[in-house]
């Protein structure tokens, strides 16, 4: 398994990485926005993966020309198996290599480390060119078509109950022996 595959697993289980977890499902995004921090509002952020990748391609093509990561092939849809070729780009984890890079965020969907949690949560990741970047700030800078939704903290219990009635709960999103107990 290459280092990017290991980082996918590490990030998904809570280790600090340059990845950030996202989901393709609005329902799952709402679940995560309402299932914690009971006294604070929850937020859902969304964007088009293709818009982000096209922006990366346009703005940083010269910087990324030696890599396939972050460059969306013109005639390849994001669901196509040819989309992610991160195994060739492990240099992007080398601090010396990224030191002089611009600040950008690209999406990455790992097809190798499929495990029940990643599948259940319809997981996808954004990857930062440098450690410590604010992913949402970079996405907002790169693309105009995006949205955010605030969920008032008082609505969280009812929304969580309704999601549970749809079969969306901690048991279905955290399958396995190490699953989190989320009400």
């Amino acid at each position: 398994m290459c280092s990017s595959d290991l980082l996918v697993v590490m990030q998904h289980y809570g280790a600090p990485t340059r990845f950030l977890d996202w989901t393709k499902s609005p329902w799952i995004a709402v679940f995560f926005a309402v299932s914690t921090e009971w006294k604070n509002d929850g937020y859902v952020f969304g964007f088009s993966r293709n818009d982000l990748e096209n922006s990366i391609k346009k703005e940083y093509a010269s910087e990324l020309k030696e890599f396939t990561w972050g460059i969306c092939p013109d005639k390849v849809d994001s669901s196509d198996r040819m989309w992610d070729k991160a195994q060739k780009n492990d240099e992007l984890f080398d601090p010396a290599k990224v030191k002089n890079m611009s600040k950008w965020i690209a999406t990455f969907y790992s097809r190798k480390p499929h495990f029940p949690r990643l599948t259940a949560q319809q997981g996808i990741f954004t990857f930062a060119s440098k450690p410590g970047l604010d992913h949402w700030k970079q996405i907002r800078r790169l693309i105009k078509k995006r949205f955010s939704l605030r969920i008032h903290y008082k609505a969280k219990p009812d929304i969580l109950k309704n999601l549970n009635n749809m079969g969306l709960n901690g048991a279905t999103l955290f399958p396995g022996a190490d699953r989190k107990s989320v009400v």
Side-chain angles (χ1 to χ4, degrees), residues 104-141:
W104 49 261
I105 301 292
T107 58
F108 173 61
Y109 176 76
S110 177
R111 288 178 167 75
K112 284 189 180 177
H114 280 287
F115 46 95
R117 239 185 232 190
L118 184 61
T119 303
Q121 295 174 13
Q122 298 181 41
I124 190 169
F125 302 90
T126 48
F127 172 80
S129 62
K130 298 174 182 282
L133 285 183
D134 180 325
H135 289 233
W136 186 241
K137 181 179 179 181
Q138 294 301 319
I139 290 168
R140 288 191 332 257
R141 185 181 64 74

Side-chain angles (χ1 to χ4, degrees), residues 43-107:
Y43 293 87
V44 174
F45 301 101
F47 62 94
S48 163
R49 179 183 186 183
N50 286 338
D51 287 351
L52 179 61
E53 293 306 321
N54 287 332
S55 178
I56 292 290
K57 180 180 178 181
K58 187 183 292 182
E59 288 194 40
Y60 303 105
S62 62
E63 186 174 297
L64 297 169
K65 66 183 173 203
E66 62 187 280
F67 305 107
T68 52
W69 198 322
I71 304 274
C72 169
D74 290 332
K75 296 186 179 177
V76 179
D77 183 85
S78 62
S79 62
D80 188 288
R81 292 193 169 279
M82 293 303 294
W83 182 269
D84 294 315
K85 299 176 185 174
Q87 69 276 7
K88 296 179 183 177
N89 298 311
D90 280 350
E91 306 100 52
L92 287 170
F93 299 103
D94 178 355
K97 186 76 173 176
V98 301
K99 183 172 74 172
N100 296 320
M101 286 187 138
S102 303
K103 294 178 180 180
W104 49 261
I105 301 292
T107 58

